[in-house]
Amino acid sequence: MKDKSLHTESEESTQMPLGEKTALVTIIGRPSAGKSTFLNTASGEEISIVSSYPQTTRNAIKGIVNTSLGQLVFVDTPGYHDSEKKMNQRMKSIVTDQLENADSILYIIDSTRPCGEEESSIAELLRKHSQKLVVAINKIDDRHAKPAQAQAFVQTELPDLDGKKIIAMSAKDDEGINEVLRALYDLAPVAPHLYSEEFYTDQEVDFRIAEVIREQAMNRLSQEIPHAIYVQIADMEMKKQNELWVRAFLCVERESQKGIVIGKGANLIKTIRVESIKKLRKIFPYRIDLDLQVKVDKNWRQKDSRLDKLIK
């Protein structure tokens, strides 16, 4: 978790008082670069769901970090990669829209993978934003990491970027996180906070519940199925003062996928339900009672009306 003070005693006289610096920070990177892991580690909260599958994040999700230097409102965006599929085109448009609205941009690079054409596409997108850009070279804890190669790529592709804005980190091990935050605060304008300090995300209750269920399902499914599911919250009702009842559906694209998600003897859907409840009860200050079922929404990834509701 990040250090909420973020400065030493000797620095205090030169730092802005709490609340005077505020920035909207867009996070960009290829799928599985570690964007969601960074956001969760920096905030100390589980804001974005994390999975070993690429493109887990489908929406622009906000996470709020408050420290002694001010407030950073991060926007975790879907992984940026080249694909002509309708759903991916929607997610790419989210990324480009968020770049234009940002006070600053955090570009996360996975140092365990070669910087190929997709990384060059992102760098080209960011070239005009170099004055408000910080680059984090992630996964330096991994034995396959090649941070020097990633650094050389950045210096070649983004020649106008100040070298001090290129920082090595391990989001998983909380290494280099504070240095990244300091670099972003250096770019942040003096402005009122966008949110009260007790907030760490702006997500609605139904969205958070749906994302937790989807995370639990994705991490227990394989091949194409994790990308073929979405979660529909059908009903929510506060049954008692401290208990929220939720009816939700795990939606798949084909009838053949329904049986896989349910599992033999309904064991898989039961596990997804139980593990979702455990996690939700850690997030919310009240009990969650979850009725979880599976249904088919045929070829939903090709339906504009469905994508309009799911990807924002």
Side-chain angles (χ1 to χ4, degrees), residues 129-149:
H129 300 294
S130 60
Q131 295 305 308
K132 60 177 185 178
L133 180 64
V134 172
V135 176
I137 297 173
N138 193 25
K139 303 188 184 181
I140 59 171
D141 58 287
D142 194 295
R143 63 188 181 91
H144 299 296
K146 295 180 179 178
Q149 290 186 13

mmCIF file of all heavy atoms in Angstrom, residues 129-149:
data_model
loop_
_atom_site.group_PDB
_atom_site.id
_atom_site.type_symbol
_atom_site.label_atom_id
_atom_site.label_comp_id
_atom_site.label_asym_id
_atom_site.label_seq_id
_atom_site.Cartn_x
_atom_site.Cartn_y
_atom_site.Cartn_z
ATOM 1 N N HIS A 129 1.209 13.902 -26.048
ATOM 2 C CA HIS A 129 0.885 14.146 -24.638
ATOM 3 C C HIS A 129 2.107 14.052 -23.737
ATOM 4 O O HIS A 129 1.971 13.889 -22.524
ATOM 5 C CB HIS A 129 -0.158 13.126 -24.156
ATOM 6 C CG HIS A 129 -1.455 13.151 -24.883
ATOM 7 N ND1 HIS A 129 -2.317 14.227 -24.839
ATOM 8 C CD2 HIS A 129 -2.044 12.223 -25.684
ATOM 9 C CE1 HIS A 129 -3.394 13.963 -25.564
ATOM 10 N NE2 HIS A 129 -3.261 12.760 -26.089
ATOM 11 N N SER A 130 3.303 14.155 -24.289
ATOM 12 C CA SER A 130 4.520 13.894 -23.515
ATOM 13 C C SER A 130 4.684 14.817 -22.307
ATOM 14 O O SER A 130 5.310 14.441 -21.312
ATOM 15 C CB SER A 130 5.758 13.974 -24.409
ATOM 16 O OG SER A 130 5.877 15.257 -24.997
ATOM 17 N N GLN A 131 4.109 16.021 -22.375
ATOM 18 C CA GLN A 131 4.250 16.965 -21.267
ATOM 19 C C GLN A 131 3.443 16.558 -20.038
ATOM 20 O O GLN A 131 3.702 17.050 -18.936
ATOM 21 C CB GLN A 131 3.831 18.376 -21.718
ATOM 22 C CG GLN A 131 4.718 18.970 -22.787
ATOM 23 C CD GLN A 131 6.182 18.996 -22.376
ATOM 24 O OE1 GLN A 131 6.520 19.486 -21.307
ATOM 25 N NE2 GLN A 131 7.052 18.479 -23.229
ATOM 26 N N LYS A 132 2.454 15.689 -20.225
ATOM 27 C CA LYS A 132 1.653 15.262 -19.072
ATOM 28 C C LYS A 132 1.738 13.752 -18.861
ATOM 29 O O LYS A 132 0.822 13.133 -18.320
ATOM 30 C CB LYS A 132 0.193 15.707 -19.238
ATOM 31 C CG LYS A 132 -0.538 15.159 -20.457
ATOM 32 C CD LYS A 132 -1.996 15.640 -20.450
ATOM 33 C CE LYS A 132 -2.816 15.034 -21.579
ATOM 34 N NZ LYS A 132 -4.231 15.472 -21.543
ATOM 35 N N LEU A 133 2.873 13.172 -19.249
ATOM 36 C CA LEU A 133 3.024 11.716 -19.258
ATOM 37 C C LEU A 133 4.052 11.233 -18.236
ATOM 38 O O LEU A 133 5.107 11.825 -18.069
ATOM 39 C CB LEU A 133 3.450 11.268 -20.663
ATOM 40 C CG LEU A 133 3.667 9.770 -20.904
ATOM 41 C CD1 LEU A 133 2.378 8.983 -20.724
ATOM 42 C CD2 LEU A 133 4.221 9.555 -22.315
ATOM 43 N N VAL A 134 3.690 10.131 -17.553
ATOM 44 C CA VAL A 134 4.616 9.371 -16.713
ATOM 45 C C VAL A 134 4.574 7.934 -17.208
ATOM 46 O O VAL A 134 3.502 7.393 -17.467
ATOM 47 C CB VAL A 134 4.224 9.431 -15.224
ATOM 48 C CG1 VAL A 134 5.083 8.472 -14.390
ATOM 49 C CG2 VAL A 134 4.340 10.854 -14.692
ATOM 50 N N VAL A 135 5.749 7.313 -17.345
ATOM 51 C CA VAL A 135 5.829 5.921 -17.796
ATOM 52 C C VAL A 135 6.309 5.046 -16.645
ATOM 53 O O VAL A 135 7.327 5.349 -16.018
ATOM 54 C CB VAL A 135 6.781 5.763 -18.997
ATOM 55 C CG1 VAL A 135 6.915 4.287 -19.381
ATOM 56 C CG2 VAL A 135 6.276 6.572 -20.191
ATOM 57 N N ALA A 136 5.576 3.978 -16.370
ATOM 58 C CA ALA A 136 5.970 3.010 -15.343
ATOM 59 C C ALA A 136 6.317 1.687 -16.022
ATOM 60 O O ALA A 136 5.468 1.102 -16.707
ATOM 61 C CB ALA A 136 4.849 2.815 -14.337
ATOM 62 N N ILE A 137 7.539 1.245 -15.856
ATOM 63 C CA ILE A 137 7.979 -0.038 -16.410
ATOM 64 C C ILE A 137 7.719 -1.094 -15.349
ATOM 65 O O ILE A 137 8.404 -1.153 -14.324
ATOM 66 C CB ILE A 137 9.459 0.020 -16.819
ATOM 67 C CG1 ILE A 137 9.639 1.064 -17.931
ATOM 68 C CG2 ILE A 137 9.950 -1.347 -17.279
ATOM 69 C CD1 ILE A 137 11.073 1.333 -18.307
ATOM 70 N N ASN A 138 6.719 -1.914 -15.572
ATOM 71 C CA ASN A 138 6.167 -2.795 -14.545
ATOM 72 C C ASN A 138 6.745 -4.216 -14.606
ATOM 73 O O ASN A 138 7.380 -4.606 -15.576
ATOM 74 C CB ASN A 138 4.647 -2.840 -14.704
ATOM 75 C CG ASN A 138 3.957 -3.457 -13.510
ATOM 76 O OD1 ASN A 138 4.480 -3.439 -12.390
ATOM 77 N ND2 ASN A 138 2.789 -4.029 -13.722
ATOM 78 N N LYS A 139 6.479 -4.948 -13.541
ATOM 79 C CA LYS A 139 6.820 -6.378 -13.388
ATOM 80 C C LYS A 139 8.319 -6.613 -13.295
ATOM 81 O O LYS A 139 8.823 -7.649 -13.723
ATOM 82 C CB LYS A 139 6.200 -7.213 -14.513
ATOM 83 C CG LYS A 139 4.679 -7.077 -14.613
ATOM 84 C CD LYS A 139 4.073 -8.049 -15.604
ATOM 85 C CE LYS A 139 2.565 -7.827 -15.745
ATOM 86 N NZ LYS A 139 1.943 -8.773 -16.693
ATOM 87 N N ILE A 140 9.043 -5.663 -12.701
ATOM 88 C CA ILE A 140 10.487 -5.831 -12.558
ATOM 89 C C ILE A 140 10.827 -6.942 -11.570
ATOM 90 O O ILE A 140 11.984 -7.368 -11.483
ATOM 91 C CB ILE A 140 11.177 -4.512 -12.142
ATOM 92 C CG1 ILE A 140 10.610 -4.004 -10.811
ATOM 93 C CG2 ILE A 140 11.031 -3.460 -13.235
ATOM 94 C CD1 ILE A 140 11.394 -2.843 -10.232
ATOM 95 N N ASP A 141 9.829 -7.410 -10.809
ATOM 96 C CA ASP A 141 10.032 -8.535 -9.887
ATOM 97 C C ASP A 141 10.138 -9.865 -10.619
ATOM 98 O O ASP A 141 10.656 -10.846 -10.073
ATOM 99 C CB ASP A 141 8.857 -8.617 -8.902
ATOM 100 C CG ASP A 141 7.525 -8.770 -9.636
ATOM 101 O OD1 ASP A 141 7.054 -7.788 -10.228
ATOM 102 O OD2 ASP A 141 6.967 -9.885 -9.652
ATOM 103 N N ASP A 142 9.637 -9.916 -11.859
ATOM 104 C CA ASP A 142 9.590 -11.165 -12.620
ATOM 105 C C ASP A 142 10.980 -11.526 -13.161
ATOM 106 O O ASP A 142 11.710 -10.662 -13.653
ATOM 107 C CB ASP A 142 8.600 -11.009 -13.777
ATOM 108 C CG ASP A 142 8.226 -12.330 -14.419
ATOM 109 O OD1 ASP A 142 9.125 -12.974 -15.008
ATOM 110 O OD2 ASP A 142 7.044 -12.715 -14.356
ATOM 111 N N ARG A 143 11.337 -12.806 -13.086
ATOM 112 C CA ARG A 143 12.670 -13.219 -13.555
ATOM 113 C C ARG A 143 12.833 -13.047 -15.064
ATOM 114 O O ARG A 143 13.952 -13.062 -15.579
ATOM 115 C CB ARG A 143 12.953 -14.667 -13.144
ATOM 116 C CG ARG A 143 12.025 -15.701 -13.742
ATOM 117 C CD ARG A 143 12.268 -17.076 -13.120
ATOM 118 N NE ARG A 143 11.400 -18.092 -13.702
ATOM 119 C CZ ARG A 143 11.704 -18.834 -14.746
ATOM 120 N NH1 ARG A 143 12.870 -18.652 -15.366
ATOM 121 N NH2 ARG A 143 10.872 -19.747 -15.198
ATOM 122 N N HIS A 144 11.707 -12.905 -15.784
ATOM 123 C CA HIS A 144 11.778 -12.698 -17.227
ATOM 124 C C HIS A 144 11.791 -11.211 -17.603
ATOM 125 O O HIS A 144 11.808 -10.869 -18.789
ATOM 126 C CB HIS A 144 10.587 -13.368 -17.915
ATOM 127 C CG HIS A 144 10.525 -14.855 -17.702
ATOM 128 N ND1 HIS A 144 11.490 -15.714 -18.179
ATOM 129 C CD2 HIS A 144 9.617 -15.624 -17.041
ATOM 130 C CE1 HIS A 144 11.172 -16.949 -17.845
ATOM 131 N NE2 HIS A 144 10.059 -16.931 -17.152
ATOM 132 N N ALA A 145 11.775 -10.347 -16.612
ATOM 133 C CA ALA A 145 11.708 -8.906 -16.878
ATOM 134 C C ALA A 145 12.969 -8.406 -17.575
ATOM 135 O O ALA A 145 14.082 -8.824 -17.258
ATOM 136 C CB ALA A 145 11.490 -8.147 -15.583
ATOM 137 N N LYS A 146 12.778 -7.487 -18.528
ATOM 138 C CA LYS A 146 13.894 -6.838 -19.215
ATOM 139 C C LYS A 146 13.640 -5.324 -19.224
ATOM 140 O O LYS A 146 13.337 -4.726 -20.261
ATOM 141 C CB LYS A 146 14.029 -7.382 -20.638
ATOM 142 C CG LYS A 146 14.397 -8.871 -20.665
ATOM 143 C CD LYS A 146 14.532 -9.397 -22.089
ATOM 144 C CE LYS A 146 14.924 -10.868 -22.083
ATOM 145 N NZ LYS A 146 15.022 -11.425 -23.460
ATOM 146 N N PRO A 147 13.734 -4.709 -18.040
ATOM 147 C CA PRO A 147 13.411 -3.278 -17.930
ATOM 148 C C PRO A 147 14.295 -2.375 -18.778
ATOM 149 O O PRO A 147 13.848 -1.329 -19.244
ATOM 150 C CB PRO A 147 13.579 -2.989 -16.433
ATOM 151 C CG PRO A 147 14.425 -4.100 -15.910
ATOM 152 C CD PRO A 147 14.116 -5.289 -16.742
ATOM 153 N N ALA A 148 15.545 -2.773 -19.003
ATOM 154 C CA ALA A 148 16.444 -1.941 -19.811
ATOM 155 C C ALA A 148 15.949 -1.854 -21.248
ATOM 156 O O ALA A 148 16.026 -0.789 -21.886
ATOM 157 C CB ALA A 148 17.861 -2.499 -19.767
ATOM 158 N N GLN A 149 15.446 -2.950 -21.767
ATOM 159 C CA GLN A 149 14.892 -2.943 -23.125
ATOM 160 C C GLN A 149 13.658 -2.056 -23.204
ATOM 161 O O GLN A 149 13.466 -1.320 -24.177
ATOM 162 C CB GLN A 149 14.564 -4.364 -23.565
ATOM 163 C CG GLN A 149 15.775 -5.236 -23.822
ATOM 164 C CD GLN A 149 15.417 -6.591 -24.394
ATOM 165 O OE1 GLN A 149 14.291 -6.826 -24.836
ATOM 166 N NE2 GLN A 149 16.390 -7.514 -24.390
#
